[in-house]
Amino acid sequence: MLNHQFISYEGIEQLPFEKFVRPSYLNYAMYVVRDRALPFIGDGLKPVQRRIVYAMSELGLRNTAKYKKSARTVGDVLGKFHPHGDSACYEAMVLMAQDFSYRYPLVDGQGNWGSAASPKEFAAMRYTEARLSAYADVFLSELPLGTVDWVPNFDGTLQEPAMMPARLPNVILNGTTGIAVGMATDIPPHNLGEIVRACILLVDKPGASLEEICEIIQGPDFPTGAEIITPKEEILDAYRSGQGSIRMRAAYETENGDIVITALPYQVSPEKIIEQIAAQMSAKKLPMVTDVKDLSDQDEPVRILISLKSGRRDNGAVISHLLVTTDLEKSHKVNMTLIDLDKKPRLLGLREILLHWLEYRKQTVTRRLEFRLNKINERLHILEGLLIAFLNIDEVIRIIRESDDAETELITAFDLSEIQAESILQIRLRHLAKLEEMKIRGEKDKLEKEKEQIRKILSSELRMKSLIKKELREDAKKFGDERRTRIVQRQEARAIQEKDLGPVEALTVILSAGGWVRAAKGHQIDPQGLSYKAGDEYLCSVAGKSNQAAVFFDSNGRSYSLPAHSLPSARGQGEPLTGRLSIPEGERIISVIMGEEKQKLLLACNSGYGFITEFSNFITKNTKGKVLLTVSPGALPFSPLYLNDPVSDSLVSVTTEGYMLIIPVRELPELAKGKGNKIIQIPPARLKKGLEYVKHMAVLPENATLIVHSGKRSMRLTPGSLSDFCGERGRRGRKLPRGFRNTDRLEIILPVKENPETEECAE
């Protein structure tokens, strides 16, 4: 076996490329994951954020201090703790100061720190000034109390905290975003009051379910307000798995018939919204909008005015369209990946994050109390030595005056420790008064009581929980505020269809026998009088509106649809349907229909089967159409028949042998597609051989008259005489009289509607 690692004759170590790159890249990846891109669950900060806060505290820039130039802070951060680019560091600092980026900003900025309209347009760091916000005390107040580990900085000359002793779960309060190697994080911000109440619930009841927690935490609370329209079930699923998405929608109101946007989804700027709306206006996709303006200012950070035409102010339709086509409605990804207490990257749900943070908080409070207990013990030890000195003050003074090694002789004489002896030697003459002894005894008693209280807390789980809850409530009262983002249920927004953008006009769609189609404005058209191509002729036409779909039905029971307003003008000869639709070879279009979506129609074929369906079932965006009516081999479909009232209408069927049957339409099923039920009985053998089939079908409204035409003869059947041919669905029917069995066509005469008489009144 070959040895891939060897020393060349030049004394240079050589490695295969794979063995060199793999550990190098792995080290880089782990560095990016742990020390740059992902937050630590304890304080919710990335290293650069942690170092900015610590560096500012070391500069004395607490929230009560004077502002200092941001360049001073960035210089300290880079020079002492974070040797990276100054622009990246300053940008991280800017984000921590923007109240529209952070729910609870850590930096209090003075100057141009960007705006919701242009978050990236902030002034250079030589112009802006900053100090820490009051909220930053959540991280700093316990920092010197032995609560965290300290590590050397990058060059080993200074110490910096490995993490911050956060008094609140900042990781879920401010959230964060970051892209590491092979993983990313998107933790949304939340309301402080809700999170604290949920933490207190888990302190009292660690086994509380996610459903119980979500009764308190309704959902994220973004700094820009707006609305969350994600269903509660989906929010619950995202909190359970740690992954999901939150759908946000802008808040708006109506003012003098115009639309005013008052809040935008998180990380959406007014400039982008205006740009998106203006692009649609330029493309003439928003004819009802006349203007869009950004009226945002300091008092109203978001105020976008969308002016509408006075005659077309359908605010609901316009805002619904804009929600779909612009960032007025946007999804925010949820991916709660972070560095856990074991310093490993993990994807956690909301309940697990809160439980882990409470464990971190318990560790922090325990370390703080133990640190304080050690300090108390050290001070009590010194006070005991001082009291011995005061009780033997004359002897102590003699030893100090006469001894060459006063410290050693004091230790020997009074059985003191080196610390006690050193403390006695540090006493000034002014402190030898009787009053000073009383102060020492008072301090000693006070420390003894505090020591006893700390011991009780450390030895009692219940007392520890009470302390954690008390401090959480205090911080919630100090830093908490009202929820900004409302969680509401809204209907799904819909874009305005292209056909609805223009005015609605009456149209007549004309179809030729050769499959050429065109549309003429108005309904007073003589379609048969139009010119057709040589060898072509009129087939059928239908009256409708420009905002409706024109549906074409072929000889195999398949439907196709095209927007009526997109059809060519009837001034020419139209265009072939085969240019826009994929009609199977051998099939032909037999009819064209139009109507409202809820219009009922009857579909049937000449084998005697059929059903009721809605016009909406005919519509399809697929150019290959969709099968609606299942046609038996050798059979042909009839053109769809419009129904006036499916409850009272009747259906007339006449076979080639002169059998006629009239049935109630309501006996047929209502289907989206299929074959349907048997309408009229035809002997199967005759049907199979093509000797008999249904020749005519017609819908007969209530009280209508039926005229049967055969050659030059016609037979009039009034509503009273139709009963002879009425029967149940699926029957054979009754033969027409001789001379009418070879029926040419059926004619329906509708009943005349009587107008009520009116009386004229003379003045």
Side-chain angles (χ1 to χ4, degrees):
M1 185 173 179
L2 294 177
N3 183 10
H4 292 288
Q5 184 175 350
F6 60 91
I7 305 297
S8 73
Y9 63 91
E10 296 178 345
I12 299 174
E13 183 180 1
Q14 297 185 0
L15 285 173
F17 186 73
E18 179 185 356
K19 288 190 175 182
F20 173 77
V21 170
R22 185 183 294 274
S24 300
Y25 187 77
L26 184 61
N27 291 337
Y28 163 75
M30 290 306 298
Y31 166 75
V32 173
V33 169
R34 296 177 55 180
D35 296 324
R36 184 179 294 185
L38 300 185
F40 174 59
I41 191 171
D43 55 17
L45 300 175
K46 301 177 185 179
V48 64
Q49 297 167 334
R50 188 178 301 119
R51 287 163 178 166
I52 290 172
V53 172
Y54 178 64
M56 293 183 73
S57 70
E58 288 295 286
L59 285 170
L61 297 178
R62 292 294 184 96
N63 66 297
T64 55
K66 291 184 178 180
Y67 294 93
K68 282 189 179 179
K69 288 290 184 182
S70 301
R72 174 72 183 277
T73 296
V74 173
D76 266 38
V77 173
L78 300 185
K80 295 180 178 179
F81 308 112
H82 198 73
H84 294 272
D86 58 348
S87 59
C89 179
Y90 181 51
E91 188 168 341
M93 183 178 174
V94 168
L95 287 175
M96 296 163 66
Q98 292 177 338
D99 57 3
F100 50 86
S101 296
Y102 265 51
R103 184 65 179 81
Y104 301 96
L106 278 69
V107 175
D108 178 11
Q110 185 171 263
N112 179 12
W113 291 81
S115 63
S118 49
K120 296 291 185 180
E121 296 181 6
F122 46 83
M125 58 184 172
R126 62 182 178 272
Y127 299 117
T128 60
E129 298 178 338
R131 64 184 180 187
L132 290 169
S133 67
Y135 177 76
D137 284 342
V138 167
F139 306 94
L140 300 171
S141 60
E142 297 178 347
L143 189 59
L145 302 181
T147 50
V148 297
D149 297 327
W150 293 75
V151 295
N153 69 337
F154 64 91
D155 61 2
T157 59
L158 296 170
Q159 294 286 309
E160 63 175 314
M163 72 282 294
M164 290 288 192
R167 293 167 59 94
L168 291 169
N170 181 67
V171 70
I172 202 74
L173 291 178
N174 270 321
T176 190
T177 60
I179 301 175
V181 178
M183 60 183 67
T185 183
D186 283 283
I187 305 175
H190 290 75
N191 183 267
L192 194 154
E194 293 179 2
I195 293 295
V196 166
R197 291 199 298 275
C199 287
I200 291 173
L201 171 66
L202 286 172
V203 170
D204 292 332
K205 186 181 176 183
S209 66
L210 179 63
E211 287 75 11
E212 292 177 273
I213 294 172
C214 286
E215 290 180 4
I216 300 172
I217 304 174
Q218 300 295 314
D221 187 21
F222 294 94
T224 53
E227 298 176 347
I228 291 176
I229 60 171
T230 304
K232 291 186 177 181
E233 296 76 16
E234 292 184 21
I235 297 177
L236 195 67
D237 290 341
Y239 281 155
R240 180 176 289 108
S241 64
Q243 290 183 314
S245 65
I246 301 296
R247 193 78 175 163
M248 296 194 68
R249 178 176 288 186
Y252 61 91
E253 57 189 32
T254 301
E255 187 175 288
N256 298 325
D258 297 326
I259 299 171
V260 179
I261 308 297
T262 57
L264 293 174
Y266 186 50
Q267 295 179 335
V268 174
S269 68
E271 286 183 354
K272 186 173 183 180
I273 297 297
I274 291 175
E275 181 181 339
Q276 291 173 334
I277 296 175
Q280 292 192 52
M281 292 173 65
S282 299
K284 297 183 178 180
K285 293 183 178 180
L286 283 175
M288 66 288 293
V289 177
T290 59
D291 195 12
V292 56
K293 297 178 182 177
D294 185 5
L295 304 180
S296 306
D297 54 28
Q298 290 185 348
D299 297 329
E300 294 180 290
V302 176
R303 183 177 175 82
I304 302 174
L305 176 64
I306 303 172
S307 302
L308 306 181
K309 288 183 179 179
S310 58
R312 303 186 65 184
R313 288 184 170 174
D314 187 356
N315 298 40
V318 173
I319 193 64
S320 180
H321 174 80
L322 293 176
L323 290 172
V324 174
T325 57
T326 70
D327 284 347
L328 288 175
E329 185 172 303
K330 188 178 181 182
S331 289
H332 187 78
K333 189 177 180 181
V334 176
N335 178 14
M336 296 195 283
T337 301
L338 39 71
I339 305 299
D340 67 5
L341 298 179
D342 296 328
K343 305 298 177 61
K344 297 178 181 178
R346 287 184 63 186
L347 175 65
L348 299 176
L350 176 64
R351 181 176 179 275
E352 288 72 27
I353 288 177
L354 296 180
L355 286 173
H356 280 65
W357 183 84
L358 286 171
E359 179 62 28
Y360 174 77
R361 182 60 188 158
K362 182 181 177 182
Q363 294 174 6
T364 303
V365 173
T366 300
R367 291 184 63 166
R368 186 189 77 201
L369 294 176
E370 290 175 345
F371 178 83
R372 178 59 182 163
L373 188 60
N374 290 334
K375 291 294 183 182
I376 290 174
N377 287 332
E378 291 175 4
R379 182 61 180 168
L380 287 174
H381 182 63
I382 293 173
L383 292 176
E384 287 173 358
L386 293 177
L387 285 175
I388 291 174
F390 276 103
L391 292 174
N392 302 277
I393 190 65
D394 294 334
E395 180 64 15
V396 169
I397 293 174
R398 186 194 66 75
I399 291 174
I400 294 173
R401 290 180 62 186
E402 298 177 358
S403 176
D404 293 333
D405 188 0
E407 181 176 339
T408 303
E409 193 165 340
L410 284 173
I411 292 173
T412 304
F414 301 107
D415 192 20
L416 301 175
S417 66
E418 291 184 6
I419 296 176
Q420 289 175 321
E422 181 63 27
S423 299
I424 291 171
L425 292 175
Q426 295 296 327
I427 298 175
R428 296 183 179 183
L429 291 176
R430 71 176 68 175
H431 293 154
L432 296 178
K434 183 70 176 178
L435 184 62
E436 190 66 25
E437 179 184 351
M438 295 174 63
K439 288 182 179 180
I440 292 173
R441 291 186 181 278
E443 182 182 355
K444 184 174 181 295
D445 292 341
K446 183 179 179 181
L447 290 177
E448 289 286 359
K449 290 180 181 178
E450 185 180 353
K451 177 181 177 180
E452 184 62 25
Q453 290 177 350
I454 292 175
R455 281 180 172 174
K456 288 180 179 179
I457 294 173
L458 289 173
S459 61
S460 171
E461 184 75 16
L462 185 61
R463 290 176 185 270
M464 177 65 75
K465 288 182 177 181
S466 297
L467 177 61
I468 292 174
K469 291 191 295 182
K470 177 186 175 184
E471 292 176 350
L472 284 172
R473 290 191 183 99
E474 289 175 352
D475 289 336
K477 185 177 181 181
K478 185 176 181 181
F479 302 111
D481 57 4
E482 295 296 324
R483 167 175 278 277
R484 297 181 189 175
T485 306
R486 295 191 304 156
I487 301 177
V488 295
Q489 291 183 345
R490 299 289 189 197
Q491 291 183 346
E492 185 177 355
R494 298 180 61 183
I496 300 175
Q497 300 297 320
E498 187 179 351
K499 61 184 175 61
D500 297 328
L501 293 175
V504 179
E505 298 177 331
L507 283 183
T508 300
V509 178
I510 302 105
L511 180 66
S512 75
W516 285 62
V517 67
R518 48 188 154 168
K521 291 185 178 180
H523 292 164
Q524 307 301 322
I525 304 296
D526 179 15
Q528 299 187 34
L530 299 175
S531 65
Y532 293 86
K533 294 179 70 68
D536 200 3
E537 61 181 352
Y538 169 79
L539 176 66
C540 61
S541 62
V542 64
K545 299 177 181 178
S546 59
N547 63 345
Q548 294 177 334
V551 171
F552 304 92
F553 197 64
D554 75 4
S555 54
N556 197 34
R558 185 181 293 267
S559 71
Y560 311 80
S561 60
L562 293 172
H565 72 276
S566 69
L567 298 177
S569 171
R571 293 175 182 174
Q573 293 178 334
E575 65 180 34
L577 284 173
T578 51
R580 299 175 65 176
L581 302 175
S582 301
I583 303 172
E585 187 176 352
E587 305 298 337
R588 60 185 178 85
I589 301 297
I590 62 172
S591 66
V592 57
I593 59 172
M594 296 177 70
E596 301 294 335
E597 290 188 358
K598 298 297 183 181
Q599 171 68 50
K600 303 291 185 183
L601 295 104
L602 188 140
L603 275 181
C605 61
N606 63 3
S607 61
Y609 287 82
F611 61 90
I612 302 170
T613 191
E614 281 188 353
F615 182 81
S616 59
N617 294 324
F618 286 81
I619 300 174
T620 175
K621 293 182 179 179
N622 192 341
T623 58
K624 295 182 180 180
K626 68 175 182 179
V627 176
L628 215 63
L629 176 65
T630 303
V631 181
S632 304
L636 290 173
F638 289 104
S639 298
L641 301 175
Y642 290 90
L643 298 177
N644 300 297
D645 184 357
V647 177
S648 61
D649 286 349
S650 298
L651 178 63
V652 182
S653 303
V654 180
T655 73
T656 53
E657 290 297 310
Y659 285 92
M660 186 169 78
L661 177 66
I662 302 176
I663 66 168
V665 169
R666 61 177 179 273
E667 292 188 3
L668 294 175
E670 185 169 344
L671 305 173
K673 63 179 181 178
K675 182 178 181 180
N677 289 359
K678 184 182 291 186
I679 299 173
I680 184 170
Q681 175 67 39
I682 300 176
R686 294 182 61 80
L687 181 64
K688 187 174 182 180
K689 294 179 180 180
L691 299 176
E692 185 180 358
Y693 51 87
V694 180
K695 188 176 183 181
H696 302 287
M697 275 194 183
V699 174
L700 190 67
E702 188 177 14
N703 297 324
T705 298
L706 174 65
I707 301 178
V708 180
H709 294 274
S710 179
K712 297 181 180 180
R713 304 177 64 184
S714 63
M715 179 175 65
R716 187 182 187 92
L717 298 173
T718 62
S721 58
L722 288 171
S723 59
D724 294 338
F725 295 92
C726 292
E728 297 178 357
R729 180 186 61 78
R731 298 295 185 182
R732 181 65 167 147
R734 181 178 176 182
K735 261 197 172 186
L736 289 165
R738 289 183 181 275
F740 292 96
R741 293 175 183 175
N742 186 19
T743 306
D744 293 328
R745 63 187 178 92
L746 301 177
E747 181 182 356
I748 308 296
I749 305 298
L750 298 176
V752 178
K753 295 182 179 180
E754 296 182 358
N755 294 324
E757 296 181 359
T758 57
E759 295 180 1
E760 295 182 1
C761 299
E763 294 183 0

